[in-house]
Amino acid sequence: MTEETPRKVDMEKIVSLCRRRGFIFPSSEIYGGLSSCWDYGPLGVELKRNVKEAWWRVVVQERDDMVGLDASILMHPQTWEASGHIEGFADPLVECKSCHLRWRTDEIKDNNCPSCGGELTEPRMFNLMFKTFMGPIEEEADVVYLRPETAQGIFVNFQNVVNTTRKKLPFGIAQIGKAFRNEITTGNFIFRSREFEQMEIEFFVKPGTDKEWFDYWLEERLNWYVKLGIRKENLRLRQHGKDELAHYAKECHDIDYLFPMGWSELEGIANRGDFDLVQHANSSGKSLEYFDEKTKEHFVPYIIEPSAGVDRSILAFLCDAYDEELAEGETRVILHLHHSLAPIKVAVLPLSRRDPLVALAKQIHADLRQCWMVQYDDAQSIGRRYRRQDEIGTPFCITVDFQSLEDNQVTIRERDSMNQIRVPVSELKDTLAAKLSGEELFVLPPGGKIWKGGEQGMISPQREK
Amino acid sequence: MTEETPRKVDMEKIVSLCRRRGFIFPSSEIYGGLSSCWDYGPLGVELKRNVKEAWWRVVVQERDDMVGLDASILMHPQTWEASGHIEGFADPLVECKSCHLRWRTDEIKDNNCPSCGGELTEPRMFNLMFKTFMGPIEEEADVVYLRPETAQGIFVNFQNVVNTTRKKLPFGIAQIGKAFRNEITTGNFIFRSREFEQMEIEFFVKPGTDKEWFDYWLEERLNWYVKLGIRKENLRLRQHGKDELAHYAKECHDIDYLFPMGWSELEGIANRGDFDLVQHANSSGKSLEYFDEKTKEHFVPYIIEPSAGVDRSILAFLCDAYDEELAEGETRVILHLHHSLAPIKVAVLPLSRRDPLVALAKQIHADLRQCWMVQYDDAQSIGRRYRRQDEIGTPFCITVDFQSLEDNQVTIRERDSMNQIRVPVSELKDTLAAKLSGEELFVLPPGGKIWKGGEQGMISPQREK
């Protein structure tokens, strides 16, 4: 967090946009909010769905060597003994003897409370796992934990997956799900919260091939963000020093993103060696070895783990997409979200609220809604409506005007260039499908024409009033 | 649970199939499992994704009057005071003084322990919410609960959604997410578990129109199951008697399904009146009234709530799809899953593992995988491979044979009828797209021909060897 971002975006603008437009609200806001928990509103839930879908598609659907999993949040407590979380997943904490505020020891500069200057207690270890009780009576025997990471649900199912899918090494198991950490210090909006969602891959390889696969996944995962529109200059790889490596890791790199508060971790890629499977095999007494039919060898696979945060990714996509333009004295806020991530793909905007026109607009809306998330907006001037869609990242607006009633054509207006073209209603769906899939960016479709005072044949940026 | 199902399915078969083929495993199985928690394996996670997607598509994407939401699992504890859960969401419980097993009072037939016959304590109320502690020290002040239903996350966001979307009544908010209940008596596989997933709609209407909307949603939700392939005779509506109505409900109907253990609730549709918004308005001091711009009235909307269980729906879809056929002395197990729900849409099966054929098959596989979840299987006889795909509900198998190398055509074999047709590879994707979308069931595509010893033009069921 040393460098400053030179961009127009700052955290306050993102938080405000998210709150105002229904991307993200503080949890239980009418009760004053719940510290560091967030609710995804109507637009946020679609953005989140799209981010998860983009990950699942590339990581599971399009690959031969990956299957999915959805393990439960509550797991057998022995899992966390074997994983080392009960003993090791803890921060040292001190308490002020006067004001009773608690602090992580790395937040303390001298021996006094940073808030009131009071005397501090000796540090004691505080486990970051949320604990709860299963069964009717609260007893130590019934303690279960909310998982602090989704990874362990994959490790304990390794043999189940091998047996039922007959997958051969190298192969991976991918999972998206909630995890919980009772963090002392949270903040930076959805960057660090107590309830969050992970997208984790555990990729099982033969020992000796792990370095090669580690490098493969570094590149693969970096490029996932780039392909979804994150600028290369806002991404970097940072190798963990020996002193900061987790106990299970042979090697670890963070994919950092240049957030408004500085470079911070977006995803961690770790070579976990055989640590996890050996621990669980020892603890459960079950063999977690893999049998290589070709070489007739038994061995414990090594694991490469690309572990991404859904919420952090969303924050990065929002920050990277955010832009402001000065247009005729007004500020145009635009989210240049990748088409596949945009919560609303198309907005249908009738130029009037009168009937033959409204009927046509509604019919187009109903038709497009079969394919995509589509909004219908007939409130205020067309310029205001374009601005509203720009601000939430809608790639295309369809304007239905009086001319449409005569020639059965409508205008498609593109978010980034503000270019407009005119297409027959009968070709609208195919044209949008091609544009949204990225097969073409903004080319005149057959039969379409440019909407510019009746002129034809020109494709050029055109400002709206 | 009074009537017996006459079908071939029983719970044991479903549990066994789910375990064997990687739909559903017991949670943390290597540690002996965690009571009543389940992990969705590689096929189960795809089925679950498809069920949720089918719901979201119909309920959110295709409707004008609905938006989505994704609220956090941890909510401000005052939420549960206002909702009545802290006081009322409890079961009376007795404990055996000898063996210390605990029982719900409705499970006790006399005054003795059903297990050992020992003496029982007086009943005491046991709250079904899981509690945990937010912040470093366990104190009553820091108690938070794992939500026992997703509904409250919607109620507390009602005003946020109205303000940010400018939706007009009637409209609904839809949400899919995990909920947790510390049930004493669980069981029937994934039917009743402590961690489960809900798909809930809270539909806000003007008081006086609630009866009409209640009836609308009854029909709408019943038909959702029917359209996704559940047989009408296995569904029924059951109206709650006055004595079993929840404290918040004016009226409630269950959509019951004829599970192997008998008729049980699949979804509940309740008219909650203004109970929830009034409670939260009183508790938070925030107005949760709606202002009707047309009539200039302020009022608290009534709420119609169709509340479905993801896991229960999955169990119903599996049970209803399950079938056994005796074919040439062997039992063929088939999951007649709706195309949109099937975890794997297409399997690519090369008739040989030799190379020009494998190259073609792999190319087809890579191509189709861009569109759908596709499996590649080259192990054992073609008959065995068909059986494996039938058992997991794969609608279409593509067989690549030596003839394919010459005529560049492949065989599409349909799961239910076992009909086979021959189509050019160039038309494969379009043909499958049409079949999977249900636009056609099994019609000869242009250029395709029936695979039956070289005969052409016949479409008839054809058994495999």
Side-chain angles (χ1 to χ4, degrees):
Chain A
M1 307 201 187
T2 48
E3 292 143 74
E4 285 299 305
T5 159
R7 288 172 285 155
K8 288 167 190 158
V9 62
D10 62 42
M11 197 65 100
E12 213 176 308
K13 285 178 183 171
I14 294 289
V15 173
S16 157
L17 172 62
C18 284
R19 174 75 192 71
R20 186 173 72 251
R21 298 305 309 275
F23 281 90
I24 299 164
F25 308 120
S27 166
S28 320
E29 193 178 14
I30 59 170
Y31 292 114
L34 183 67
S35 168
S36 172
C37 287
W38 302 94
D39 292 350
Y40 286 81
L43 294 177
V45 66
E46 300 297 341
L47 174 56
K48 195 184 199 188
R49 281 165 51 81
N50 293 341
V51 168
K52 294 197 277 186
E53 194 55 38
W55 188 85
W56 195 267
R57 186 189 163 82
V58 168
V59 157
V60 181
Q61 181 188 319
E62 292 183 0
R63 295 185 71 100
D64 262 345
D65 57 358
M66 192 85 71
V67 295
L69 187 83
D70 183 12
S72 61
I73 290 170
L74 301 175
M75 298 181 67
H76 195 290
Q78 215 177 323
T79 308
W80 308 112
E81 277 170 31
S83 69
H85 280 83
I86 286 180
E87 200 173 305
F89 195 58
D91 277 345
L93 217 71
V94 296
E95 183 172 330
C96 171
K97 291 178 181 175
S98 309
C99 73
H100 299 288
L101 280 180
R102 291 153 207 135
W103 306 91
R104 282 207 324 254
T105 48
D106 62 358
E107 294 176 307
I108 304 296
K109 288 194 182 120
D110 55 43
N111 289 322
N112 297 99
C113 172
S115 169
C116 77
E119 199 188 335
L120 298 170
T121 62
E122 284 299 299
R124 67 189 187 92
M125 295 309 282
F126 166 63
N127 197 293
L128 296 178
M129 287 195 291
F130 280 98
K131 87 177 174 189
T132 185
F133 308 91
M134 187 174 270
I137 310 296
E138 289 173 23
E139 283 171 4
E140 213 45 46
D142 298 321
V143 167
V144 291
Y145 299 93
L146 307 192
R147 64 178 176 198
E149 60 179 30
T150 60
Q152 302 296 328
I154 296 180
F155 303 142
V156 301
N157 275 301
F158 170 68
Q159 210 58 268
N160 276 342
V161 171
V162 170
N163 293 343
T164 57
T165 65
R166 301 172 303 149
K167 281 278 171 205
K168 307 275 174 268
L169 248 49
F171 80 93
I173 304 177
Q175 179 170 232
I176 300 176
K178 285 272 174 92
F180 299 80
R181 294 181 187 177
N182 203 354
E183 303 273 2
I184 308 307
T185 314
T186 56
N188 286 321
F189 195 30
I190 55 173
F191 179 79
R192 190 186 304 280
S193 52
R194 296 203 169 102
E195 173 178 339
F196 57 101
E197 202 156 1
Q198 294 187 306
M199 307 184 283
E200 292 198 310
I201 299 167
E202 307 298 331
F203 201 78
F204 301 89
V205 304
K206 187 170 181 175
T209 66
D210 48 316
K211 175 64 185 151
E212 167 194 335
W213 280 107
F214 182 82
D215 291 345
Y216 167 85
W217 278 110
L218 273 189
E219 196 177 296
E220 193 69 14
R221 292 302 304 149
L222 254 176
N223 281 330
W224 185 75
Y225 296 100
V226 174
K227 283 178 194 161
L228 288 173
I230 301 263
R231 273 160 282 195
K232 279 186 189 168
E233 63 265 30
N234 293 333
L235 290 167
R236 74 172 188 196
L237 278 177
R238 194 183 69 80
Q239 183 168 14
H240 281 212
K242 286 241 156 104
D243 53 325
E244 61 176 329
L245 269 184
H247 60 284
Y248 53 75
K250 283 180 66 181
E251 188 177 3
C252 189
H253 279 63
D254 286 346
I255 297 178
D256 283 352
Y257 175 74
L258 186 54
F259 287 99
M261 71 281 188
W263 289 102
S264 301
E265 182 193 348
L266 192 54
E267 171 160 354
I269 291 142
N271 181 346
R272 301 181 68 119
D274 61 6
F275 178 84
D276 307 282
L277 293 181
V278 165
Q279 288 290 110
H280 285 298
N282 289 344
S283 184
S284 67
K286 303 278 194 305
S287 166
L288 297 181
E289 283 188 342
Y290 175 81
F291 176 63
D292 188 324
E293 281 171 18
K294 274 191 193 151
T295 63
K296 307 293 175 200
E297 287 172 289
H298 290 270
F299 58 85
V300 177
Y302 273 23
I303 295 176
I304 309 301
E305 175 192 76
S307 170
V310 175
D311 313 87
R312 286 180 184 193
S313 298
I314 289 171
L315 185 56
F317 288 124
L318 285 171
C319 289
D320 222 76
Y322 186 92
D323 199 14
E324 294 172 1
E325 271 180 18
L326 212 69
E328 295 165 23
E330 257 194 284
T331 301
R332 179 170 97 106
V333 173
I334 318 134
L335 286 184
H336 296 287
L337 286 169
H338 191 273
H339 289 176
S340 67
L341 301 183
I344 306 295
K345 308 297 183 203
V346 183
V348 177
L349 316 176
L351 264 189
S352 143
R353 283 182 176 176
R354 267 169 292 164
D355 204 4
L357 203 138
V358 166
L360 176 61
K362 294 222 157 167
Q363 194 202 309
I364 290 170
H365 179 214
D367 193 35
L368 298 180
R369 209 166 54 196
Q370 301 298 313
C371 305
W372 305 288
M373 287 296 302
V374 183
Q375 267 190 5
Y376 185 91
D377 188 1
D378 61 3
Q380 299 176 309
S381 76
I382 191 73
R384 291 286 285 273
R385 283 184 265 168
Y386 284 149
R387 295 293 171 278
R388 277 205 291 272
Q389 296 300 331
D390 291 342
E391 198 185 40
I392 64 171
T394 306
F396 300 105
C397 289
I398 310 298
T399 315
V400 184
D401 55 26
F402 293 103
Q403 183 72 19
S404 305
L405 296 171
E406 286 168 32
D407 63 7
N408 220 23
Q409 299 203 346
V410 291
T411 302
I412 303 180
R413 180 262 196 189
E414 198 266 338
R415 173 194 69 198
D416 300 334
S417 64
M418 295 191 286
N419 279 349
Q420 300 189 349
I421 57 169
R422 193 106 179 136
V423 297
V425 172
S426 59
E427 291 166 20
L428 185 56
K429 208 187 262 188
D430 286 346
T431 307
L432 286 170
K435 288 183 189 307
L436 282 165
S437 71
E439 281 168 28
E440 50 157 326
L441 267 169
F442 210 75
V443 193
L444 198 67
K449 58 167 188 162
I450 303 293
W451 184 62
K452 196 188 170 189
E455 272 181 57
Q456 286 196 19
M458 260 187 66
I459 304 179
S460 62
Q462 193 183 333
R463 299 272 154 181
E464 302 110 17
K465 284 162 222 103
Chain B
M1 306 202 186
T2 49
E3 292 142 72
E4 285 299 305
T5 159
R7 287 172 287 154
K8 288 167 190 159
V9 62
D10 62 41
M11 198 64 101
E12 213 176 306
K13 285 178 183 171
I14 293 289
V15 174
S16 157
L17 171 62
C18 284
R19 174 76 192 71
R20 187 173 72 251
R21 297 305 309 275
F23 280 90
I24 298 164
F25 309 120
S27 165
S28 321
E29 195 179 13
I30 60 169
Y31 293 113
L34 182 68
S35 168
S36 173
C37 287
W38 302 93
D39 292 351
Y40 286 81
L43 294 178
V45 65
E46 299 297 340
L47 174 57
K48 195 184 200 188
R49 281 164 51 81
N50 293 341
V51 168
K52 293 196 277 187
E53 194 55 39
W55 188 85
W56 196 267
R57 184 187 164 83
V58 168
V59 158
V60 181
Q61 181 187 320
E62 293 183 359
R63 295 185 71 101
D64 262 344
D65 57 358
M66 191 85 71
V67 295
L69 187 83
D70 182 12
S72 61
I73 289 170
L74 302 175
M75 298 181 67
H76 195 289
Q78 214 177 325
T79 308
W80 309 112
E81 278 171 31
S83 69
H85 280 83
I86 286 180
E87 199 173 304
F89 195 58
D91 276 346
L93 217 71
V94 296
E95 182 173 330
C96 171
K97 290 179 181 175
S98 308
C99 73
H100 298 289
L101 280 179
R102 290 153 207 136
W103 306 91
R104 282 207 323 255
T105 48
D106 61 358
E107 295 175 306
I108 306 295
K109 288 192 182 120
D110 55 41
N111 289 322
N112 298 101
C113 172
S115 169
C116 77
E119 200 188 334
L120 298 170
T121 63
E122 285 298 300
R124 66 187 187 96
M125 295 309 282
F126 166 62
N127 198 294
L128 296 179
M129 287 195 291
F130 280 97
K131 88 176 174 191
T132 185
F133 308 91
M134 187 173 269
I137 310 295
E138 289 173 23
E139 283 171 5
E140 213 46 44
D142 298 321
V143 166
V144 292
Y145 299 93
L146 307 192
R147 64 178 176 199
E149 60 179 31
T150 59
Q152 302 296 328
I154 297 179
F155 302 142
V156 300
N157 275 301
F158 169 70
Q159 209 59 268
N160 275 341
V161 171
V162 169
N163 293 343
T164 58
T165 66
R166 302 171 304 149
K167 281 276 171 205
K168 308 274 174 269
L169 247 50
F171 80 94
I173 304 177
Q175 179 170 229
I176 299 177
K178 285 273 174 91
F180 299 80
R181 294 181 188 179
N182 203 354
E183 302 273 1
I184 308 307
T185 314
T186 57
N188 287 320
F189 195 31
I190 54 172
F191 179 78
R192 190 186 304 279
S193 52
R194 296 201 169 105
E195 173 177 340
F196 58 100
E197 203 156 358
Q198 293 187 306
M199 305 184 283
E200 293 198 310
I201 298 166
E202 306 298 331
F203 201 79
F204 302 89
V205 305
K206 187 170 183 178
T209 66
D210 47 318
K211 175 65 186 150
E212 166 195 335
W213 280 105
F214 182 82
D215 292 345
Y216 168 84
W217 278 110
L218 273 189
E219 196 178 295
E220 192 69 15
R221 292 301 307 149
L222 254 176
N223 282 331
W224 185 75
Y225 296 100
V226 174
K227 283 179 194 160
L228 288 173
I230 302 262
R231 274 160 281 196
K232 278 185 189 168
E233 62 265 33
N234 293 333
L235 290 167
R236 73 171 188 196
L237 278 177
R238 194 183 68 79
Q239 183 168 14
H240 281 212
K242 286 241 157 103
D243 53 325
E244 59 175 330
L245 268 184
H247 60 283
Y248 54 76
K250 283 180 66 182
E251 187 176 5
C252 188
H253 280 63
D254 287 345
I255 297 178
D256 283 352
Y257 176 74
L258 187 53
F259 287 99
M261 71 280 189
W263 288 103
S264 301
E265 183 193 347
L266 191 55
E267 171 159 352
I269 291 142
N271 181 345
R272 301 181 69 119
D274 60 8
F275 178 84
D276 307 283
L277 292 182
V278 166
Q279 288 291 110
H280 286 298
N282 289 343
S283 184
S284 68
K286 304 277 194 305
S287 166
L288 297 181
E289 283 188 341
Y290 175 82
F291 177 63
D292 189 324
E293 282 171 18
K294 274 190 192 149
T295 63
K296 307 291 173 200
E297 287 172 289
H298 289 270
F299 58 86
V300 177
Y302 274 22
I303 295 177
I304 309 301
E305 175 192 75
S307 170
V310 175
D311 313 88
R312 287 182 183 191
S313 298
I314 289 172
L315 185 57
F317 287 124
L318 285 171
C319 290
D320 222 77
Y322 187 91
D323 199 14
E324 294 172 2
E325 272 180 19
L326 211 69
E328 295 164 25
E330 259 194 281
T331 302
R332 180 170 96 105
V333 173
I334 319 133
L335 286 185
H336 296 287
L337 287 170
H338 191 274
H339 289 176
S340 67
L341 301 183
I344 306 293
K345 307 298 184 204
V346 183
V348 177
L349 316 175
L351 263 190
S352 143
R353 283 183 177 175
R354 268 170 291 165
D355 204 3
L357 203 139
V358 165
L360 176 61
K362 294 223 156 167
Q363 194 202 308
I364 290 170
H365 178 215
D367 194 36
L368 297 180
R369 209 167 53 196
Q370 302 298 314
C371 304
W372 304 289
M373 285 298 302
V374 183
Q375 268 190 5
Y376 185 90
D377 188 1
D378 61 5
Q380 300 177 309
S381 76
I382 191 73
R384 291 284 285 275
R385 284 184 264 169
Y386 284 149
R387 294 293 170 278
R388 276 205 291 271
Q389 296 299 331
D390 290 342
E391 198 185 40
I392 64 171
T394 306
F396 299 105
C397 289
I398 310 299
T399 315
V400 184
D401 55 26
F402 293 103
Q403 185 71 20
S404 305
L405 296 171
E406 287 166 30
D407 63 5
N408 219 21
Q409 299 204 345
V410 291
T411 302
I412 303 179
R413 180 262 197 188
E414 198 265 337
R415 173 193 70 198
D416 299 335
S417 64
M418 297 191 284
N419 279 350
Q420 301 188 346
I421 57 168
R422 193 106 179 136
V423 298
V425 172
S426 59
E427 289 167 20
L428 186 56
K429 209 187 260 187
D430 286 347
T431 307
L432 287 169
K435 288 184 189 307
L436 282 165
S437 72
E439 281 167 28
E440 50 159 325
L441 266 170
F442 211 76
V443 192
L444 196 68
K449 58 168 187 163
I450 303 293
W451 184 62
K452 196 189 170 188
E455 271 182 60
Q456 287 197 20
M458 262 186 65
I459 305 180
S460 62
Q462 191 182 336
R463 299 273 153 182
E464 302 111 16
K465 285 161 222 103

